Amino acid sequence: MSPVLAGVLQLLALMAALALAHIPLGGYMAKVYSSDKHWRVERWIYKGIGADPDTDMRWPAYLRGVLAFSFAGVLFLYLLQRLQGVLPGSLGFAAIDPDQAFNTAVSFVTNTNWQSYYGEQAMGHVVQTAGLAVQNFVSAAVGMAVAVALVRGFARSRTGELGNFWADLVRGVVRVLVPIAAVAAVVLVACGAVQNFSGIHEVGQFMGGSQQWNGGAVASQEAIKELGTNGGGYFNANSAHPFENPTPFTNLFEIFLILLIPFSLTRTFGVMVGSVRQGYAILATMATIWVGFVALMMWTEFAHNGPALDIAGGSMEGKEVRFGVGGSSIFAVSTTLTSTGAVDSFHSSFTGLGGGITMLGMMLGEIAPGGVGSGLYGMLIMAIIAVFIAGLMVGRTPEYLGKKIGTREIKFAACYILVTPALVLAFTAVAMALPTPGNSMTNSGAHGFSEILYAYTSAANNNGSAFAGLNADTQWFNTTLGVAMLLGRFVPMVFVLALAGSLAEQKPVPATAGTLRTEKPLFTGLLVGAILIITGLTYFPALALGPLAEGLAA
Amino acid sequence: MTTDTQKHEDSMSTATPTRAPHSDAPTGHTHEERRVGAGLFDPKQLVRSLPDAFRKLDPRVMVKSPVMFVVLVGSVLTTLFSFKDPGDWFGWTISAWLWLTVIFANLAEAVAEGRGKAQADTLRRAKTDTVARRLVGGREEQVPGTRLKIGDLVVCEAGDIIPGDGDVIEGVASVDESAITGESAPVIRESGGDRSAVTGGTKVLSDRIVVRITTEPGATFIDRMINLVEGAARQKTPNEIALNILLASLTIVFLLACATLPPFADYAGTHLTMVVLVALLVCLIPTTIGALLSAIGIAGMDRLVQRNVLAMSGRAVEAAGDVSTLLLDKTGTITLGNRQAAEFVPVHGATEAEVADAAQLSSLADETPEGRSVVVLAKERYGLRERRQGELVGAEWIQFTAQTRMSGVDVDGRKVRKGAAGSVIAWVEERGGTAAGDAETAADRIAEAGGTPLLVAVEDERGARVLGVIHLKDVVKEGMRERFAELRRMGIRTVMITGDNPLTAKAIADEAGVDDFLAEATPEDKMALIKREQAGGKLVAMTGDGTNDAPALAQADVGVAMNTGTSAAKEAGNMVDLDSDPTKLIEIVEIGKQLLITRGALTTFSIANDVAKYFAIIPALFAAVYPGLDKLNIMGLSSPDSAILSAVIFNALIIIVLVPLALKGVRYRPVSADRMLRRNLAVYGLGGLIAPFIGIKIIDLVVSIVPGIG
């Protein structure tokens, strides 16, 4: 079988699996977030944290919950790392430096999972399991909670109430993430991923010399790493590491896990707003961009010419032989179009254009299908922008899902779309203008620029993948990337929740024949166009000087 | 129909008997003719508005449009940098075109405003200084019109200009309101009732009236009109504000994209000058819509003014586009003003011709429109020549009165009567005749079909008896059915409001094709209906003229008051139709939609344009250091300088090219939202992507001929 055919077949298998899985899971999640019953274990948790899960919150209260919980998470994770040296089960690793501890704490709480450290050389079992793995669950659940709050904003009317943050958070973990992650971990273990608490082993190498290996609760972390679109690997090599991702099947399975919740949430959205077809329109928009990006990626990676590449059947540098160009391309696109950032191949080694595709995927705001929760709310914001611009063309002031998009709503949406471009471009520009940050580049020319552009793009969009090559463990990068992650995660959330509150207060406008039909393919096309033009064009000059300059040079 | 509902029907009737403004124009075709040159764009306007365009360069004015303000700042910057390097012709040329971009934007607004100015000047002429004859304690005193206060009583006689807005409290007069309406036929204004409002600046032609002043000088209707058409009172509408926010945020995004470029470029090994950066920025920010946005809004109001409708706020025009329920008064809007005789139904033994003859005879003395229509039907259908009253010697004419509810004639020993069923039957029985059962059956049948039965009876040598029944019927205006079907396709529900009983109302509603009706409607019912619709999230539009319509007019999202109506109605509504033509509501909705569509179309166009501009400018900036980027120069532009210049020139010229479209509005046809979106996306979205590729290429071909550039 030709590698191209193999790639296409993997893509088709993935699409079929997602198409099958998203309906029951999406419906289930709608029930989870709409139910008024608490599980016993949930009651214990509420009692433990002293939260009342039954009061409906207005948006400021909901936001306070999100921020308080997240900043407590940052603080806890920071202290855990700083105290690693005195904690048991630390494999003898010392405390992490303040700047790196800050960066890592922010990184995991913001669902980014940017790692400026080598997991196997810095983090012991306690930090990995009690700190990082816990955040893998809860940071994902926070994203889902915010998305559900926005969906409630559309679904509810004449109330400012968006639900209860603590209930949404706990249910997301208890009823959605933990059960699926548990099953997924078993599948991964069955396929060869590692799950133990073993210490460090000295292993003799095939070519002579020796290497240190350690085990850990890898499969369980791997499952939530993908499922929660986290991306922080147990090992530095991330999903390219055979302990994390041993076979082509686990590779495909991990991609499936990455995409599962983001795509399923479109169904949840459809069910909750009372129109499954509206969910399909959003799903179609996400799927169109995702498939388009995969196709482009395969095209550029397979078509790259040169004698060595021809023999390998494509651009194989930085890719694992067991995954091939096809599997790696799908993974790379899926990880950058979601906020995952796990990698099974090294984006820096992709062709110039291929590297550009991974960057553009993040620059679109990671909305196709995006991170768990964040993808849905990001896409809904773009839908609001698209409705606002083009909706006027049907001769009515813009409305989406029966809610008017007025001054207040557009103000929040416009602020939302400003945040990440501002962070990415400003930080990159400052880094390029200052003398020292450039020293972290390991390449010169356009590729070197891409390393820094990629780093800030990844951080501000909470992706977490790296254009390997950049030495990011410097005070400058640890600090600025940390700030970019923090602002890139929580400032947009402020606008999303404010928008949700404003939408929930409105009374619904009934649909008539004069209403823009947002469940039709025409709207999907319009939305894809608006996303590509509005967010794509923001970064065009920067992309031109990085990946485009490199990719078009050949 | 009882007297009660009849009175009611009159009070709600929006047709004015004093003159028929456009009742002969049910579908608004005459409006097309009326707005002479409204849709046309005269290039001379551009030249005439040039001084205004320069005046608008004031930064305090410009800052209201964030997009164009950025262009203004950019123009100043590039000019300053050109002074630093006076030999750089490229800097000067770019600066010149950036200034032109700003001026073109101001020009668009000035042209839009200029069209209102002419109208305002005409109005100002009507607002000549008047001397009021104020009544104080029964004595008249002369005061300047500007010193009148609310509550003052003034006397106006033939030849006087009414000094201020007010209500007639005494007398009847014919008034020339052409200064406001442009209509030369005089109208009747009288105390009490719904035609008591007079407007300052109009002229009394006959008789004497006493007017109580209801507005302060300077805030009169004519003052407000002047402000409105001049755009002085123009405030940004909610949607315009929202759009401005989005445009501002896009401007900030592109500002960031450009401001962060120098360090990237320096790293790449090329230096970007301020001139080039500003040029790139101006090309990327949505200048096209930024330049035309306020012109679109002004032109939308202007289109209403040209149809003789005054919108008190732009918000009302926008709301008109969103309307999903139209409340239409039956009389005058859906049906012609009056019922008309449609057929003669004979009873037991009488022939149709006999009935027609008797009906005609008995109606000769009936000067009501219904009576006239009987005579007309008899002539048209049965060839009965209309007899003059004088022809019949010795005839004694019985006039129609509210008491007898009958009219007729006694001639040659024959008594003929026509009138309401009860009265005629009573008359026959009085004279020893018996009313036949089938007369009542026929009358019931007509009533059930929504018509009004009038009985015709005669008393001659054969005794008193009922001859037959006249079927009076509401006549639905031509073309209304199609109009309502169109509205339905646009997603607008029409509700007919009538004082008729439900049976009659239903028959007319079915015939006219409205979606719903409100029968035996009282003002309270109307109000309740509006509130119910609004509670469901719908926007409601209605027309009204009576004082009892005022609360409903105020409650409706779009309330169009008839100019013939009371000042209370005019105060309550957010639009006034100077022609007092309730059918115009439909046009108002279309103008509202057209305004929104134009705004959306040009925004889409403006944003889609950016793609081509990138393909022009990015390779021009960086192909020297990264030769691969020359592959993006798909237009094959001749040199970096000409590429940048061409993009800037295109960006400026497209504003002027689109001014006519902004003023005229995007073509609007009443189709479903789906079809409308598909068409507009194809034209303005796809067109916006493709047009600049062609435009920039053509400009480049021209520019590259200039020595020193190509």
Side-chain angles (χ1 to χ4, degrees):
Chain A
M1 186 159 49
S2 86
V4 178
L5 182 62
V8 171
L9 286 179
Q10 287 184 52
L11 179 64
L12 292 177
L14 202 52
M15 286 165 73
L18 287 166
L20 281 178
H22 94 277
I23 294 178
L25 179 59
Y28 170 71
M29 285 193 287
K31 274 204 202 91
V32 165
Y33 289 110
S34 309
S35 153
D36 49 8
K37 293 201 178 66
H38 303 296
W39 289 4
R40 183 170 304 156
V41 58
E42 291 169 353
R43 284 185 203 284
W44 293 339
I45 297 172
Y46 298 138
K47 213 171 263 172
I49 57 176
D52 170 11
D54 292 312
T55 40
D56 252 334
M57 294 173 169
R58 301 180 66 82
W59 77 265
Y62 205 99
L63 178 67
R64 275 198 299 276
V66 170
L67 295 181
F69 179 75
S70 301
F71 287 108
V74 172
L75 196 65
F76 174 74
L77 212 49
Y78 179 81
L79 292 176
L80 204 61
Q81 294 174 77
R82 298 287 295 136
L83 300 173
Q84 176 165 249
V86 297
L87 292 175
S90 298
L91 299 176
F93 295 134
I96 312 287
D97 289 339
D99 58 314
Q100 193 172 46
F102 162 73
N103 182 283
T104 306
V106 166
S107 172
F108 276 75
V109 171
T110 57
N111 198 248
T112 312
N113 304 36
W114 171 271
Q115 294 162 297
S116 69
Y117 58 89
Y118 294 90
E120 60 270 46
Q121 292 169 28
M123 302 292 180
H125 291 320
V126 173
V127 176
Q128 289 264 26
T129 311
L132 306 183
V134 168
Q135 278 303 331
N136 277 352
F137 282 96
V138 293
S139 71
V142 167
M144 288 158 71
V146 171
V148 166
L150 179 59
V151 174
R152 289 197 189 110
F154 282 111
R156 294 181 177 183
S157 47
R158 296 186 180 95
T159 166
E161 290 164 351
L162 299 175
N164 184 290
F165 168 69
W166 304 108
D168 291 340
L169 172 74
V170 170
R171 286 177 187 186
V173 174
V174 173
R175 301 194 198 179
V176 180
L177 294 170
V178 168
I180 303 176
V183 174
V186 171
V187 173
L188 286 171
V189 170
C191 295
V194 171
Q195 181 80 2
N196 57 39
F197 284 101
S198 102
I200 296 171
H201 298 273
E202 283 281 329
V203 181
Q205 277 186 315
F206 180 66
M207 306 280 283
S210 75
Q211 205 176 359
Q212 288 188 329
W213 292 77
N214 66 311
V218 177
S220 57
Q221 187 159 331
E222 190 70 12
I224 188 60
K225 173 185 109 183
E226 315 296 11
L227 183 69
T229 61
N230 292 288
Y234 203 95
F235 302 103
N236 182 53
N238 209 303
S239 292
H241 197 296
F243 284 5
E244 291 198 9
N245 188 7
T247 69
F249 171 76
T250 56
N251 189 54
L252 209 55
F253 181 65
E254 288 186 7
I255 301 173
F256 171 78
L257 287 178
I258 288 175
L259 300 170
L260 181 62
I261 292 182
F263 273 128
S264 301
L265 275 172
T266 61
R267 178 82 181 183
T268 311
F269 159 73
V271 171
M272 287 179 76
V273 299
S275 166
V276 177
R277 297 182 62 195
Q278 296 285 359
Y280 279 130
I282 294 296
L283 174 69
T285 309
M286 290 174 168
T288 305
I289 295 176
W290 176 68
V291 172
F293 270 54
V294 170
L296 274 178
M297 183 64 100
M298 285 203 187
W299 167 73
T300 172
E301 295 306 297
F302 275 121
H304 209 69
N305 48 13
L309 300 173
D310 287 342
I311 293 165
S315 168
M316 277 304 290
E317 184 196 309
K319 298 187 179 75
E320 289 290 307
V321 176
R322 65 184 186 280
F323 308 139
V325 170
S328 302
S329 297
I330 303 172
F331 199 112
V333 166
S334 302
T335 197
T336 47
L337 274 175
T338 61
S339 77
T340 312
V343 288
D344 76 343
S345 52
F346 286 78
H347 298 172
S348 171
S349 299
F350 277 48
T351 61
L353 293 179
I357 292 169
T358 59
M359 271 192 250
L360 183 62
M362 293 185 281
M363 286 166 174
L364 293 185
E366 293 166 359
I367 51 176
V372 286
S374 61
L376 180 63
Y377 64 66
M379 180 58 91
L380 291 177
I381 296 274
M382 284 316 294
I384 285 174
I385 301 271
V387 157
F388 186 82
I389 293 171
L392 283 172
M393 285 196 290
V394 303
R396 286 170 72 91
T397 57
E399 59 207 19
Y400 184 52
L401 303 173
K403 297 295 174 74
K404 282 276 170 210
I405 308 304
T407 312
R408 231 164 25 133
E409 290 75 20
I410 206 68
K411 201 184 290 168
F412 297 133
C415 288
Y416 179 99
I417 59 167
L418 263 180
V419 178
T420 34
L423 290 172
V424 172
L425 292 172
F427 274 120
T428 309
V430 174
M432 294 307 290
L434 291 175
T436 42
N439 296 339
S440 288
M441 294 181 196
T442 47
N443 283 280
S444 60
H447 200 80
F449 173 66
S450 292
E451 288 174 3
I452 291 188
L453 178 64
Y454 193 107
Y456 286 107
T457 305
S458 174
N461 284 290
N462 299 135
N463 183 274
S465 66
F467 212 47
L470 185 75
N471 169 26
D473 186 17
T474 65
Q475 279 202 351
W476 165 264
F477 281 109
N478 274 332
T479 311
T480 56
L481 289 171
V483 170
M485 287 187 274
L486 209 54
L487 297 179
R489 174 74 165 179
F490 295 109
V491 177
M493 276 186 179
V494 174
F495 298 124
V496 169
L497 288 173
L499 174 68
S502 161
L503 290 170
E505 279 170 14
Q506 287 188 27
K507 59 183 177 192
V509 184
T512 68
T515 312
L516 173 68
R517 303 287 293 274
T518 50
E519 75 281 16
K520 293 277 185 93
L522 184 65
F523 179 73
T524 295
L526 167 70
L527 188 48
V528 171
I531 291 166
L532 291 177
I533 290 181
I534 293 174
T535 44
L537 289 190
T538 310
Y539 296 100
F540 195 88
L543 286 173
L545 291 174
L548 279 180
E550 193 187 344
L552 295 174
Chain B
M1 192 163 67
T2 66
T3 330
D4 210 35
T5 51
Q6 184 152 28
K7 208 197 284 160
H8 188 73
E9 175 86 1
D10 284 345
S11 71
M12 296 219 311
S13 154
T14 45
T16 159
T18 48
R19 68 184 164 91
H22 289 285
S23 52
D24 54 331
T27 50
H29 286 299
T30 47
H31 301 304
E32 294 295 325
E33 293 150 30
R34 280 174 47 78
R35 49 183 183 124
V36 185
L40 300 176
F41 174 70
D42 180 5
K44 272 188 228 143
Q45 284 174 300
L46 287 177
V47 182
R48 269 204 302 274
S49 307
L50 215 49
D52 279 328
F54 277 97
R55 227 166 285 144
K56 283 170 186 285
L57 284 176
D58 184 342
R60 283 166 302 178
V61 179
M62 295 288 303
V63 79
K64 285 178 191 152
S65 163
V67 180
M68 294 319 295
F69 185 71
V70 169
V71 183
L72 178 72
V73 172
S75 314
V76 172
L77 275 178
T78 53
T79 312
L80 290 179
F81 275 85
S82 300
F83 272 112
K84 257 178 67 186
D85 185 8
D88 176 23
W89 64 267
F90 178 74
W92 287 112
T93 323
I94 293 283
S95 304
W97 278 100
L98 294 186
W99 281 110
L100 279 177
T101 310
V102 182
I103 287 167
F104 287 167
N106 290 347
L107 204 52
E109 195 181 79
V111 169
E113 286 172 352
R115 307 172 118 208
K117 283 227 169 70
Q119 207 136 2
D121 289 344
T122 326
L123 286 170
R124 267 208 193 89
R125 249 173 272 139
K127 219 188 114 196
T128 46
D129 290 333
T130 49
V131 176
R133 296 158 58 188
R134 185 160 66 181
L135 270 183
V136 181
R139 276 194 16 248
E140 274 184 33
E141 60 176 32
Q142 307 264 331
V143 291
T146 48
R147 282 184 38 204
L148 288 173
K149 285 193 292 294
I150 292 177
D152 282 352
L153 301 181
V154 294
V155 178
C156 299
E157 279 181 320
D160 287 350
I161 302 278
I162 298 173
D165 294 359
D167 286 323
V168 180
I169 57 163
E170 197 186 310
V172 184
S174 64
V175 178
D176 172 12
E177 292 194 338
S178 59
I180 309 172
T181 61
E183 194 71 42
S184 53
V187 294
I188 302 293
R189 295 298 182 209
E190 57 191 347
S191 62
D194 291 340
R195 285 192 293 278
S196 62
V198 288
T199 311
T202 57
K203 190 175 180 184
V204 177
L205 292 182
S206 70
D207 304 289
R208 172 182 184 275
I209 48 174
V210 178
V211 175
R212 184 192 288 121
I213 298 297
T214 53
T215 47
E216 300 277 0
T220 62
F221 190 66
I222 232 169
D223 289 311
R224 278 195 292 167
M225 269 183 75
I226 292 171
N227 281 340
L228 280 169
V229 296
E230 265 194 333
R234 207 180 95 79
Q235 284 179 321
K236 282 190 181 137
T237 59
N239 177 259
E240 214 178 331
I241 294 170
L243 186 54
N244 249 321
I245 292 172
L246 184 70
L247 295 181
S249 94
L250 289 179
T251 304
I252 296 172
V253 166
F254 287 121
L255 195 61
L256 276 166
C258 293
T260 53
L261 206 47
F264 304 169
D266 286 343
Y267 169 81
T270 177
H271 183 71
L272 297 181
T273 63
M274 182 56 89
V275 171
V276 162
L277 276 175
V278 171
L280 176 62
L281 175 65
V282 170
C283 285
L284 294 183
I285 61 177
T287 48
T288 313
I289 181 64
L292 297 173
L293 187 56
S294 77
I296 293 169
I298 297 169
M301 297 275 272
D302 195 46
R303 276 196 293 279
L304 279 177
V305 170
Q306 276 153 11
R307 284 168 177 77
N308 259 355
V309 175
L310 283 185
M312 296 304 164
S313 71
R315 188 186 282 260
V317 187
E318 242 168 44
D322 279 349
V323 158
S324 43
T325 307
L326 280 188
L327 304 191
L328 299 170
D329 278 324
K330 184 199 78 179
T331 311
T333 311
I334 295 172
T335 62
L336 294 175
N338 302 292
R339 293 179 169 77
Q340 292 188 354
E343 63 176 321
F344 299 123
V345 185
V347 297
H348 66 94
T351 64
E352 225 174 298
E354 253 181 294
V355 182
D357 180 66
Q360 189 228 34
L361 256 182
S362 59
S363 298
L364 289 175
D366 183 357
E367 282 300 322
T368 62
E370 284 87 355
R372 302 298 309 154
S373 77
V374 172
V375 177
V376 169
L377 181 73
K379 184 176 174 183
E380 283 178 354
R381 184 88 53 88
Y382 302 97
L384 291 180
R385 194 175 59 85
E386 180 179 344
R387 285 166 281 197
R388 299 261 167 77
Q389 295 189 15
E391 275 177 42
L392 302 168
V393 188
E396 188 187 334
W397 300 97
I398 318 291
Q399 301 291 331
F400 178 88
T401 68
Q403 280 76 40
T404 61
R405 301 209 293 163
M406 282 191 301
S407 65
V409 63
D410 297 346
V411 65
D412 301 339
R414 202 169 153 231
K415 293 182 167 144
V416 189
R417 293 290 182 276
K418 171 216 81 184
S423 312
V424 172
I425 289 170
W427 182 80
V428 169
E429 283 171 352
E430 242 169 59
R431 279 157 184 74
T434 45
D438 56 346
E440 279 183 70
T441 323
D444 287 348
R445 189 177 50 78
I446 288 166
E448 267 166 43
T452 308
L454 289 181
L455 262 51
V456 182
V458 66
E459 185 190 17
D460 53 14
E461 61 279 5
R462 288 157 61 194
R465 63 193 187 279
V466 176
L467 279 181
V469 188
I470 303 171
H471 183 174
L472 284 184
K473 191 175 166 186
D474 265 313
V475 181
V476 174
K477 284 186 184 175
E478 214 177 308
M480 290 317 277
R481 215 187 160 79
E482 292 72 33
R483 211 77 196 273
F484 294 139
E486 259 176 21
L487 286 170
R488 202 167 301 122
R489 277 198 298 278
M490 288 155 60
I492 296 172
R493 213 166 70 90
T494 44
V495 181
M496 182 182 85
I497 308 287
T498 172
D500 291 344
N501 63 59
L503 222 56
T504 312
K506 183 170 184 339
I508 299 162
D510 287 346
E511 192 185 339
V514 292
D515 297 304
D516 204 351
F517 64 89
L518 184 65
E520 288 170 355
T522 63
E524 293 75 34
D525 292 342
K526 220 165 159 179
M527 188 73 171
L529 174 68
I530 293 174
K531 283 188 171 158
R532 203 161 54 237
E533 293 285 315
Q534 287 174 335
K538 289 179 177 158
L539 264 63
V540 182
M542 67 169 283
T543 59
D545 59 355
T547 300
N548 56 9
D549 284 334
L553 277 171
Q555 178 72 29
D557 301 281
V558 178
V560 184
M562 300 292 107
N563 191 45
T564 50
T566 59
S567 42
K570 283 201 261 182
E571 280 298 320
N574 46 18
M575 291 192 194
V576 175
D577 179 16
L578 300 175
D579 293 337
S580 305
D581 170 14
T583 320
K584 230 186 257 172
L585 197 50
I586 299 171
E587 272 176 83
I588 292 172
V589 168
E590 291 184 351
I591 289 172
K593 287 197 176 291
Q594 195 188 26
L595 170 74
L596 294 172
I597 294 172
T598 308
R599 211 179 267 161
L602 291 181
T603 309
T604 308
F605 185 87
S606 188
I607 293 171
N609 269 206
D610 276 5
V611 178
K613 292 174 193 164
Y614 266 131
F615 278 94
I617 296 182
I618 293 297
L621 296 185
F622 302 120
V625 282
Y626 293 126
L629 291 179
D630 201 44
K631 286 178 190 157
L632 295 179
N633 182 10
I634 52 177
M635 284 174 270
L637 304 180
S638 51
S639 75
D641 282 353
S642 81
I644 297 168
L645 195 54
S646 302
V648 170
I649 294 176
F650 175 84
N651 198 49
L653 290 182
I654 196 73
I655 295 173
I656 286 296
V657 170
L658 291 176
V659 165
L661 183 70
L663 296 185
K664 214 167 66 181
V666 167
R667 195 161 60 96
Y668 173 76
R669 267 182 311 174
V671 291
S672 72
D674 253 8
R675 287 183 53 195
M676 201 143 40
L677 182 65
R678 187 165 304 124
R679 177 183 173 275
N680 289 331
L681 263 185
V683 176
Y684 300 98
L686 227 52
L689 275 179
I690 298 164
F693 279 102
I694 301 166
I696 292 173
K697 177 67 187 172
I698 292 172
I699 295 170
D700 177 73
L701 288 176
V702 176
V703 166
S704 60
I705 300 170
V706 180
I709 300 180

